[in-house]
Amino acid sequence: MKPGNSRSRATKSRKPKQAIAPDGLPQLSIGHPQNPQELELNSASSAIPDMADSLDVNSSLPVLPRVAQVPPTAQQIKVTAQYLKTRSPLLDLVTVQLTQRLVTIYQQRVSNSTSGSSATETNLPYFEVIANDSVPATIRTNLEGETLLSRVKSLVETIFEQRHLWEEAAKEIWSNLVVWALEDLKRVDSGESAPESPEVLQQKLSDYLFGQNSISVQSKIHRLEEFYSQTLVNQIQSDLDLPNYPLVALAQLLGLHSGEIEKPSPPTEVRLSQVDAIAAIPTGLPIVSSISAQLQTDLWKPDASGIAHFRYASRTNQSNFLEHYITSPGDIEALPWEAAEQIINKFGFNTVKLQFIFAAHAMRQGKPWESTFTLKASDIVAELGWDRNHSSTLPTKRNEVASIAYALSCLLVKAVWIEGRGNKKLDASTPVGRMWEVLIDVHGQFDLTTGKIEQPNEVYITVRPGLWTAHFLNQAGSKAKEALYQFGYLALNILKLDPYHDELTLRLAIHLTLDVRIRARDRNPYEYKVRSLLEAVLTESAVREARQSSEKSRSLFDRWNHALKLLLNLGWHPEDYSPESSGQPDTTPMFYVKPFPEWLNPDQKRRKPKGWIELWLEQKLVIKPPNPIPQRMEALTQSKQPRQKQLGGNSATEKLTGSEVKTARKARKWTQAKLAGTIDVDQSLIAKIESSKRPITPELETALRRVLEL
């Protein structure tokens, strides 16, 4: 860039301006080199003849030959940058100006935060707030100047090195210096009738800039340093976003706080895996559709108005559907495709896993749409199994958790859903709202060059489930036939599956987890066809290509067998199977319904018949989730069946007592929480029953006898 009013007389030398220090700060004594040759550019004398070729001369200089538009050479930049670091006052000029702005901004921010005060405050470090009823609050600083300048100078030096500002300044100052020289030479030689050769011009530039009689170069350099220092301060202020720079970080930068800014840690939820290996989760349509939206990002499309949306429609009633949109924090307006695409690209298995964790904690809330809970990122790292991966640091993993939590906070949902008919019709429709309200609170040391905490000691994520839970996770509303209460169970070990190595296994586990609740009342709730499972978890094209290509069919078959084996290791099992009875825990069991052809067994190297893939796709198999999920689902569905009236009015057995429940529970080595989760009641109720403080209702007795086998 060219400085304003860049022309000056070559015969006069300007005394550089003295920098104006902020109020209360000492003046800086800034020295300047006494001789132009002290610029240490003579060491690049071999590069000087090429100097004119490195710049573009203004087209209004007809006497001078036009030169190529090539930036300064690497040697010229290197030598100039070294001069700026060691001999130039540029760093001090930037430090003084930036310090003045920092103090001013801090004073303004503190004044705003104390507006309305009617007494002198004494709790602000190094500041005195003077206020009364008649005049606005004012701030008087008591900062120690030399210490403050030293602190800010250290920050400026770091920013210069990190952002390569020395080199940028060298380019600007060197280029403007040569352009200035060319303009002066043009005035001196304006009387000549013929243009000079490039060689003559290059020699004149060399003599002008580095000759013994050159007396104007020093003043021009000083002017360029003063001008460019203002440009650098503006750039640093813009990069740091100083008006919005965190106040605690600003105080730390000014030396008002040292070290880490301590913030109180909020109370957090207990880690799921510390309670049980199985967690209840909502499985209503918003959960199902949002998981589809996160795993099938190719189905997101812009609508007629350009808004990004994902549509999930009922297969049996096209008038029922859910739609998802993308929004930004602090807003509820759906974003257009260009802006939404950045968030959509963050969706994937990690956001699905985190949503499962959010959903499991939401199940524990009495009224989730009114409740909040706080999770630690470190606990989430452990739940996801990331603590076993040592390729990145724990602070980096915490930041990644915060990033995927942010993506979930941008996901909106809208439901148009009516179940039943006539008097039994239930409207579960919901307006557009967030799936999850998320607040991310980062604790740790501020990086003063960015105003952020780059290496957090902890990240606290406070979550409030969206309003959709009032329609799809409302136990009281379900009993009143005004809302739905749909849930199933999650085996927490699937959260640790690595999608990069076990993608098909993870897709199957997610689908089977959500499908258990839907199929719970079927005659054969755990029976599937290979085709239906593959079409549910893979794209239509992937299955079609496998049917058409022998190579891809073999690859899919091998991936499928690997997935079944891994599911077994995670506790999924076929009908009537236990590791003790199989005697071969490392051998893939036969999930297929008998009888089945021997070539389906991956442990048997049997030749496959012609057309085998079609036979395989139609094969039935049984995949039951890890225990005790089947028992819990059975107890849940049977407890909702209408009770038959007993003849004679008396029970065939004596009434169950609390002590019997406690004895049977301990015999199974179950905790009260595990028993409560099995029959879908609160742990406090089990405790009261066992201590005979609460009677056992007939419905509850039926459920307890069934799960405890009494």
Side-chain angles (χ1 to χ4, degrees):
M1 82 189 72
K2 292 184 180 181
N5 190 22
S6 62
R7 301 188 179 191
S8 64
R9 296 184 181 277
T11 57
K12 291 186 179 181
S13 174
R14 285 186 60 199
K15 183 178 179 180
K17 286 189 207 174
Q18 180 68 25
I20 301 176
D23 183 28
L25 299 177
Q27 296 287 331
L28 289 178
S29 175
I30 300 176
H32 297 277
Q34 299 300 314
N35 191 311
Q37 292 185 353
E38 289 184 7
L39 301 181
E40 299 182 9
L41 291 173
N42 283 338
S43 62
S45 58
S46 61
I48 298 302
D50 298 328
M51 179 169 52
D53 288 335
S54 68
L55 299 166
D56 178 27
V57 180
N58 191 291
S59 58
S60 63
L61 307 177
V63 177
L64 300 177
R66 191 159 185 84
V67 293
Q69 297 185 15
V70 179
T73 65
Q75 178 67 6
Q76 292 167 346
I77 294 173
K78 180 179 179 181
V79 173
T80 307
Q82 181 63 24
Y83 157 73
L84 293 176
K85 288 182 181 181
T86 58
R87 307 300 300 273
S88 165
L90 181 63
L91 183 64
D92 289 332
L93 290 170
V94 172
T95 298
V96 169
Q97 295 178 58
L98 183 61
T99 302
Q100 186 173 20
R101 296 193 191 186
L102 289 170
V103 172
T104 300
I105 290 172
Y106 187 73
Q107 288 175 326
Q108 292 172 347
R109 298 277 294 278
V110 174
S111 296
N112 293 338
S113 66
T114 58
S115 60
S117 174
S118 58
T120 300
E121 303 281 352
T122 60
N123 60 338
L124 296 172
Y126 299 98
F127 281 87
E128 184 181 5
V129 182
I130 304 172
N132 55 51
D133 295 332
S134 59
V135 296
T138 58
I139 302 292
R140 185 165 60 206
T141 178
N142 189 29
L143 291 167
E144 205 283 312
E146 290 290 352
T147 302
L148 177 57
L149 284 174
S150 175
R151 183 180 296 276
V152 177
K153 185 174 182 179
S154 177
L155 170 67
V156 173
E157 287 177 322
T158 302
I159 293 175
F160 267 53
E161 294 295 337
Q162 288 182 352
R163 305 182 186 180
H164 307 289
L165 295 185
W166 290 119
E167 291 75 12
E168 292 298 322
K171 292 178 186 178
E172 294 290 342
I173 291 177
W174 175 258
S175 300
N176 280 283
L177 183 63
V178 175
V179 170
W180 234 333
L182 291 173
E183 290 178 344
D184 281 348
L185 287 175
K186 178 228 175 180
R187 285 193 295 273
V188 172
D189 298 335
S190 59
E192 297 184 8
S193 58
E196 296 172 325
S197 65
E199 292 75 12
V200 173
L201 175 61
Q202 291 164 0
Q203 185 59 48
K204 283 189 174 185
L205 281 172
S206 178
D207 294 341
Y208 180 86
L209 292 172
F210 309 109
Q212 294 293 331
N213 296 324
S214 178
I215 59 176
S216 64
V217 174
Q218 180 178 350
S219 65
K220 295 181 188 298
I221 289 176
H222 296 340
R223 288 182 61 188
L224 288 168
E225 289 167 341
E226 292 172 5
F227 174 83
Y228 196 61
S229 68
Q230 299 173 19
T231 301
L232 287 172
V233 171
N234 290 335
Q235 180 179 338
I236 292 172
Q237 177 171 332
S238 175
D239 290 346
L240 294 179
D241 192 17
L242 285 183
N244 299 311
Y245 200 78
L247 188 59
V248 288
L250 194 58
Q252 182 181 340
L253 190 154
L254 294 174
L256 308 183
H257 296 294
S258 60
E260 181 181 335
I261 305 298
E262 294 289 343
K263 293 195 292 185
S265 301
T268 58
E269 300 291 307
V270 176
R271 192 185 303 174
L272 295 172
S273 56
Q274 292 178 342
V275 177
D276 197 353
I278 306 297
I281 58 168
T283 55
L285 287 164
I287 289 290
V288 175
S289 64
S290 63
I291 288 177
S292 296
Q294 294 169 57
L295 295 182
Q296 297 177 293
T297 55
D298 57 312
L299 298 183
W300 283 83
K301 305 292 180 184
D303 62 12
S305 58
I307 300 298
H309 81 293
F310 179 97
R311 187 179 178 90
Y312 182 95
S314 169
R315 296 181 180 179
T316 57
N317 184 356
Q318 291 299 312
S319 60
N320 282 350
F321 64 89
L322 290 91
E323 287 185 332
H324 293 279
Y325 306 92
I326 301 297
T327 188
S328 54
D331 199 358
I332 202 68
E333 183 178 355
L335 295 179
W337 177 260
E338 292 76 12
E341 192 173 15
Q342 300 179 23
I343 300 297
I344 295 171
N345 290 336
K346 293 179 179 292
F347 290 154
F349 288 109
N350 284 337
T351 55
V352 169
K353 290 180 179 182
L354 184 58
Q355 176 162 285
F356 273 140
I357 294 174
F358 285 179
H361 285 285
M363 278 291 299
R364 297 170 174 233
Q365 315 302 316
K367 294 182 178 180
W369 55 95
E370 295 179 355
S371 306
T372 61
F373 52 86
T374 301
L375 309 175
K376 288 197 301 185
S378 296
D379 287 344
I380 295 174
V381 167
E383 298 280 25
L384 298 176
W386 293 358
D387 53 337
R388 299 176 299 181
N389 181 357
H390 303 295
S391 61
S392 59
T393 64
L394 182 56
T396 300
K397 295 168 185 173
R398 293 182 183 125
N399 281 332
E400 178 62 19
V401 169
S403 176
I404 59 180
Y406 170 81
L408 282 180
S409 73
C410 297
L411 184 61
L412 298 175
V413 62
K414 169 188 174 182
V416 176
W417 204 272
I418 298 177
E419 291 204 357
R421 297 179 181 179
N423 295 332
K424 296 183 178 181
K425 184 170 67 174
L426 189 153
D427 190 350
S429 301
T430 61
V432 175
R434 293 183 189 273
M435 282 290 298
W436 309 98
E437 299 276 357
V438 177
L439 175 65
I440 300 172
D441 183 16
V442 184
H443 288 217
Q445 175 81 36
F446 278 100
D447 184 338
L448 299 179
T449 64
T450 62
K452 300 178 182 178
I453 300 176
E454 303 288 354
Q455 299 291 319
N457 293 336
E458 191 54 82
V459 177
Y460 295 92
I461 301 172
T462 300
V463 182
R464 184 176 71 181
L467 291 176
W468 61 270
T469 53
H471 298 261
F472 291 91
L473 193 62
N474 188 337
Q475 188 172 19
S478 176
K479 292 180 179 179
K481 307 300 181 183
E482 296 174 351
L484 299 173
Y485 188 60
Q486 300 171 332
F487 70 96
Y489 295 96
L490 171 72
L492 296 178
N493 55 12
I494 74 171
L495 298 178
K496 293 180 169 62
L497 284 173
D498 182 0
Y500 296 102
H501 299 96
D502 308 308
E503 179 181 339
L504 182 57
T505 312
L506 182 54
R507 287 184 179 275
L508 282 170
I510 291 172
H511 174 73
L512 293 170
T513 296
L514 298 175
D515 205 43
V516 164
R517 193 271 308 171
I518 299 174
R519 299 164 57 96
R521 290 184 173 83
D522 290 357
R523 177 176 297 179
N524 299 306
Y526 306 113
E527 185 175 289
Y528 298 88
K529 276 189 178 182
V530 174
R531 182 191 299 274
S532 65
L533 285 178
L534 289 177
E535 290 178 347
V537 301
L538 299 178
T539 62
E540 182 180 345
S541 60
V543 178
R544 183 177 62 252
E545 290 172 2
R547 295 174 63 191
Q548 297 172 350
S549 167
S550 58
E551 181 179 353
K552 291 184 177 181
S553 63
R554 286 194 299 270
S555 174
L556 181 58
F557 186 69
D558 291 341
R559 289 168 55 204
W560 170 266
N561 289 327
H562 173 75
L564 291 185
K565 191 168 186 175
L566 191 51
L567 284 175
L568 173 69
N569 294 334
L570 294 174
W572 302 76
H573 53 277
E575 193 75 50
D576 301 326
Y577 168 83
S578 66
E580 295 80 8
S581 62
S582 70
Q584 293 180 303
D586 295 331
T587 302
T588 304
M590 286 298 95
F591 287 89
Y592 300 108
V593 175
K594 298 178 180 179
F596 57 86
E598 291 186 358
W599 55 265
L600 284 176
N601 189 338
D603 299 319
Q604 301 290 332
K605 304 301 181 182
R606 298 292 183 124
R607 185 187 181 102
K608 299 180 181 65
K610 185 177 181 180
W612 66 268
I613 188 169
E614 299 298 334
L615 298 174
W616 171 53
L617 291 174
E618 295 303 319
Q619 185 65 44
K620 293 181 180 180
L621 70 166
V622 173
I623 306 180
K624 301 184 72 173
N627 294 326
I629 293 179
Q631 294 87 340
R632 294 185 184 184
M633 292 304 301
E634 182 181 359
L636 178 65
T637 55
Q638 292 186 6
S639 65
K640 293 184 178 181
Q641 298 293 336
R643 292 184 299 125
Q644 295 181 354
K645 293 183 178 180
Q646 296 178 350
L647 298 176
N650 295 321
S651 173
T653 60
E654 295 182 1
K655 189 172 180 60
L656 187 64
T657 65
S659 60
E660 289 175 332
V661 172
K662 184 175 182 179
T663 301
R665 174 180 64 80
K666 287 189 172 183
R668 287 176 170 266
K669 298 182 179 180
W670 283 8
T671 64
Q672 290 181 342
K674 186 170 184 178
L675 176 57
T678 303
I679 61 175
D680 189 30
V681 297
D682 292 334
Q683 178 183 350
S684 60
L685 178 59
I686 299 298
K688 291 176 181 178
I689 287 174
E690 291 185 351
S691 60
S692 301
K693 294 180 179 180
R694 179 69 64 86
I696 303 175
T697 63
E699 294 86 356
L700 193 56
E701 180 174 350
T702 301
L704 287 169
R705 287 186 180 278
R706 183 179 302 108
V707 298
L708 296 175
E709 298 181 357
L710 295 173

